[in-house]
Amino acid sequence: MSSLRDPRPPIYGLMAEFPSADALIAAAHQVHEAGFQKVDAYTPFPIEAVSEALDLPRSKMPIIVLIGGLLGGLGGYMLQFWSQVIRYPMNIGGRPVHSWPAFIVPTFECTILGASLAAVVGMILINGLPLPYHPVFNVPRFALASRDRFFLVIEAIDPKFDPDATRSFLAGLNASEVSEVDH
Amino acid sequence: MATLEKTGLPAHPAKPYVPPIVGPGHTAGTVTDKIADVILRKNTPKWWLLGFAAAFSLLMVFLTAVTWLFVKGVGIWGVNWPIGWGFAIINFVWWIGIGHAGTLISAILLLFRQEWRTSINRFAEAMTLFAVACAGMFPVLHLGRPWLFYWLLPYPNTMTLWPQFRSPLIWDVFAVTTYATVSAMFWFVGLVPDLATMRDRAKNKAAKLLYGMGALGWRGSARHWHNYETAYLLLAGLSTPLVLSVHTVVSFDFSIGIVPGWHATIFPPYFVAGAIYAGFAMVLLLAIPLRVGFGWKDFITDRHLENMGKVMLGTGLIVFYGYIIELFFSWYSANTYETFMARNRVFGPYWAFWWALIFCNGFTPQLLWFRRIRTSPLWLFLISLVVSVGMWLERFVIVVTSLTRDFLPSSWGLYKGTIWDWATFFGTLGLFSTLFFLFIRILPAISIFEMRTMVPGGEAGDEITEVV
């Protein structure tokens, strides 16, 4: 009954395991060329060549960090301007209340703080984390993705996905193992 | 080219031998096992238990000192007119300086592609965090009413008061709180993939759950790494000016004032160099026992120790230059008060502190010119101890000799710390080492995922093996 109600395909996708980064990079190129869209690679350390092979779009992080930094800096300066010039002006020997050189240090620190917060919170959220559950963890050998093994997953919702054809395609890419990923 | 051939010299001299960052024979798997297994094993090593017991006892000294401070007030300390700044500011500057090496290693050396930093950045960052925590104790405790520390922050309040943003002390609040926040975030971001490794390896259910919560569900996806690497690089780029600004702002606490010996333009660069100098000394003090205790000589190799020795030598020379130029300026300024201050430093009541400082920070690091000494863990450890003492003396000399003898002889006085001053200072050493012992027991003290890139098969590892 549940299969009638569940609109999802019967499995999450197919996972291929590779013993080395080079094998994964070569496989990622072929998978991308074969026209698969819903593909992701899992590696124990960052590999630029994999992102290139999968043709990932440019990261949005720089613009997020820029906005964070601008907001932090502007906010810091406005805070000082408002509190020292408007809300609580102090006349000390007739010196100008808008003493901007003295405001540089807190403005700088607020810029860095805003940009760093944007970088960290932005990176976590843009990656869809924190995420308590993900289907890839259903494959027991996937625990090695955080040690020294390299994985590639083609999701079943990919328009070109076909349970048997995709499986033999992955097996032909020098994968040491191909396994089904349950939901 | 022709002339070169005639000389018989090779046109392309062979590259000098560079020892590898990771010992031979390691793979991504063995690196992971070796770093993670020291945490996940059941029986805690004896040296850890002994060290933790000692550290925890010192922490209790700190709690006692702080409790008595809360009962009696800052009168239990040696501060009084004219020396309103005593141990609290000395220790604050000392600790915050130590913290700088962690950020230098994790951010600046990353931007300069100094790949050897990978073995030491994680625990150096932890050191930064704990040092900043110790540093933060002093400004808060010396307030007299420490429970009102939040008055330093700008927030709408019923008194309609705002902090004085033209004061270096408020700049300090902004610099140090930003530094603590950014260092903590940088450290955590670096930890996330390693926490995922710990989650996948832990057998114990509770450990699996706790590491899993910290890992945020990290699964090493290429899309994630893509954003992660960009964010990490940007954080490094942001931390670099930040770390330079922090000790600059700390030096403003002094140099914006007009007290002789403080009002000097050389203070910011000389403070920053001193901070890195003291910080590397502390990294060495931690790294040398750590690599023995955990058997990590393959990861924290002699090359790492030697490089740190070189950084110490370089920054030590800048610091020594600072001492000399301070004396020069006091003479060149032809200012009575500055000249008197310099003479008073060298020959006045605190002469022994100044000469000890020159011995510790001026002469001792000269030993590091010798390769033999730079590659000897025992020598490096001893030199680092001497340098740590020297950097404490430097702050003592700056703070105390200037305040005890200012413009009017009627306001002269002498200063010494009381037993509670010393108890608080040694107590923070306990706080620091307790936190550090806990850290190395429950979290990977070397960045595992970055070490995986350093072995053959990793991105940087291939290049490195070619060089070797």
Side-chain angles (χ1 to χ4, degrees):
Chain A
M1 279 302 282
S2 67
S3 63
L4 287 176
R5 284 190 189 166
D6 198 346
R8 300 179 301 178
I11 54 167
Y12 173 79
L14 283 171
M15 175 185 280
E17 180 185 333
F18 300 92
S20 75
D22 292 336
L24 173 75
I25 294 165
H29 272 293
Q30 293 196 24
V31 168
H32 185 68
E33 273 160 31
F36 287 101
Q37 310 280 319
K38 296 280 175 190
V39 186
D40 208 344
Y42 299 88
T43 54
F45 50 85
I47 305 171
E48 248 175 79
V50 175
S51 330
E52 282 163 19
L54 293 177
D55 203 17
L56 295 183
R58 282 181 60 154
S59 174
K60 290 196 189 73
M61 288 314 300
I63 185 79
I64 294 175
V65 173
L66 178 70
I67 293 170
L70 287 175
L71 286 178
L74 281 174
Y77 197 88
M78 300 290 276
L79 170 74
Q80 295 176 86
F81 184 82
W82 185 77
S83 68
Q84 307 296 295
V85 180
I86 298 171
R87 191 70 194 85
Y88 201 77
M90 271 186 277
N91 184 341
I92 299 162
R95 288 179 180 81
V97 281
H98 184 202
S99 53
W100 64 268
F103 299 161
I104 290 175
V105 174
T107 307
F108 171 79
E109 303 296 343
C110 291
T111 310
I112 300 283
L113 184 65
S116 306
L117 278 171
V120 174
V121 177
M123 186 274 287
I124 291 172
L125 293 183
I126 217 171
N127 281 347
L129 303 173
L131 188 70
Y133 175 79
H134 195 276
V136 286
F137 290 105
N138 289 331
V139 180
R141 282 191 66 81
F142 188 73
L144 295 176
S146 65
R147 185 172 181 269
D148 60 350
R149 289 282 159 155
F150 304 81
F151 295 86
L152 194 114
V153 173
I154 301 181
E155 287 181 41
I157 50 168
D158 191 289
K160 293 199 72 175
F161 186 87
D162 174 83
D164 301 320
T166 308
R167 174 180 271 272
S168 49
F169 170 69
L170 279 175
L173 298 176
N174 290 327
S176 57
E177 210 174 311
V178 179
S179 32
E180 286 187 354
V181 185
D182 292 328
H183 275 295
Chain B
M1 272 322 263
T3 47
L4 194 65
E5 273 159 26
K6 266 181 205 159
T7 61
L9 290 170
H12 297 287
K15 275 186 190 168
Y17 172 73
V18 185
I21 294 171
V22 183
H26 274 294
T27 64
T30 61
V31 166
T32 311
D33 298 344
K34 208 167 172 188
I35 302 174
D37 285 354
V38 296
I39 307 165
L40 291 173
R41 67 171 163 203
K42 275 221 170 66
N43 41 352
T44 304
K46 273 213 179 72
W47 61 263
W48 188 93
L49 289 171
L50 282 173
F52 184 73
F56 199 69
S57 315
L58 265 179
L59 176 61
M60 292 301 112
V61 173
F62 179 69
L63 290 184
T64 313
V66 171
T67 309
W68 190 235
L69 176 79
F70 284 2
V71 173
K72 296 292 278 189
V74 281
I76 65 165
W77 289 353
V79 281
N80 207 335
W81 291 120
I83 298 93
W85 274 10
F87 266 43
I89 188 87
I90 298 169
N91 298 340
F92 164 73
V93 181
W94 190 72
W95 273 122
I96 202 102
I98 284 171
H100 280 50
T103 321
L104 182 103
I105 291 169
S106 55
I108 300 182
L109 294 187
L110 177 79
L111 297 182
F112 284 150
R113 296 184 177 273
Q114 293 294 307
E115 270 144 356
W116 57 277
R117 84 182 245 295
T118 305
S119 313
I120 54 174
N121 72 329
R122 170 70 47 72
F123 72 85
E125 283 168 40
M127 177 198 81
T128 293
L129 276 182
F130 305 151
V132 172
C134 291
M137 292 291 160
F138 290 100
V140 172
L141 291 177
H142 99 301
L143 288 176
R145 288 183 287 170
W147 51 93
L148 298 178
F149 73 94
Y150 60 89
W151 284 11
L152 290 163
L153 302 170
Y155 70 102
N157 54 66
T158 50
M159 299 166 285
T160 69
L161 287 172
W162 289 91
Q164 171 57 287
F165 279 104
R166 299 172 191 97
S167 160
L169 296 181
I170 287 297
W171 301 350
D172 225 13
V173 173
F174 274 75
V176 173
T177 48
T178 300
Y179 186 47
T181 315
V182 173
S183 307
M185 290 193 301
F186 199 29
W187 186 65
F188 175 69
V189 167
L191 262 174
V192 166
D194 283 1
L195 289 172
T197 299
M198 301 305 292
R199 167 200 68 201
D200 294 341
R201 295 176 70 85
K203 300 269 185 297
N204 180 313
K205 263 218 162 128
K208 217 176 176 62
L209 185 74
L210 288 172
Y211 286 127
M213 284 163 77
L216 306 174
W218 183 264
R219 54 186 192 275
S221 151
R223 282 158 221 280
H224 290 183
W225 281 123
H226 191 46
N227 292 320
Y228 181 93
E229 284 283 279
T230 318
Y232 199 74
L233 262 183
L234 287 169
L235 271 178
L238 291 165
S239 303
T240 301
L242 174 66
V243 67
L244 298 180
S245 86
V246 174
H247 231 56
T248 302
V249 172
V250 169
S251 81
F252 284 167
D253 290 345
F254 298 94
S255 57
I256 300 280
I258 54 159
V259 177
W262 289 4
H263 196 53
T265 46
I266 196 171
F267 261 38
Y270 144 67
F271 263 53
V272 171
I276 293 164
Y277 181 52
F280 268 86
M282 187 58 91
V283 175
L284 277 168
L285 287 178
L286 299 172
I288 292 169
L290 191 66
R291 72 182 208 142
V292 178
F294 282 151
W296 278 350
K297 285 191 185 172
D298 287 357
F299 301 151
I300 306 171
T301 62
D302 290 346
R303 178 180 163 199
H304 293 93
L305 300 186
E306 191 186 352
N307 281 354
M308 287 191 266
K310 284 180 186 166
V311 176
M312 259 170 69
L313 177 62
T315 48
L317 288 173
I318 300 176
V319 170
F320 195 25
Y321 171 80
Y323 300 153
I324 294 166
I325 217 75
E326 270 189 324
L327 294 182
F328 169 77
F329 270 141
S330 61
W331 168 75
Y332 190 68
S333 70
N335 180 308
T336 321
Y337 300 105
E338 289 285 337
T339 322
F340 173 76
M341 180 280 303
R343 212 176 318 129
N344 183 51
R345 261 189 198 175
V346 184
F347 303 112
Y350 292 103
W351 63 271
F353 286 81
W354 193 83
W355 287 102
L357 159 70
I358 294 301
F359 169 76
C360 293
N361 284 356
F363 294 119
T364 314
Q366 305 307 325
L367 290 170
L368 294 167
W369 286 106
F370 300 100
R371 205 187 135 81
R372 259 245 181 98
I373 288 179
R374 282 202 311 268
T375 48
S376 152
L378 179 68
W379 270 106
L380 282 173
F381 193 81
L382 293 175
I383 292 173
S384 302
L385 273 179
V386 172
V387 166
S388 301
V389 174
M391 286 311 292
W392 191 87
L393 288 170
E394 177 196 303
R395 278 67 181 250
F396 185 92
V397 165
I398 292 173
V399 172
V400 175
T401 55
S402 287
L403 284 177
T404 48
R405 295 282 183 273
D406 72 358
F407 302 98
L408 289 175
S410 60
S411 61
W412 288 0
L414 285 179
Y415 169 82
K416 69 178 176 31
T418 63
I419 183 149
W420 295 109
D421 280 309
W422 287 105
T424 318
F425 174 52
F426 284 114
T428 48
L429 288 173
L431 173 65
F432 177 81
S433 34
T434 304
L435 289 169
F436 197 79
F437 271 110
L438 288 175
F439 157 71
I440 58 172
R441 188 69 190 86
I442 56 178
L443 291 170
I446 295 181
S447 173
I448 308 176
F449 86 89
E450 284 178 296
M451 288 302 276
R452 288 189 198 116
T453 64
M454 295 289 137
V455 296
E459 283 206 316
D462 288 337
E463 288 166 31
I464 290 155
T465 31
E466 272 165 33
V467 173
V468 175

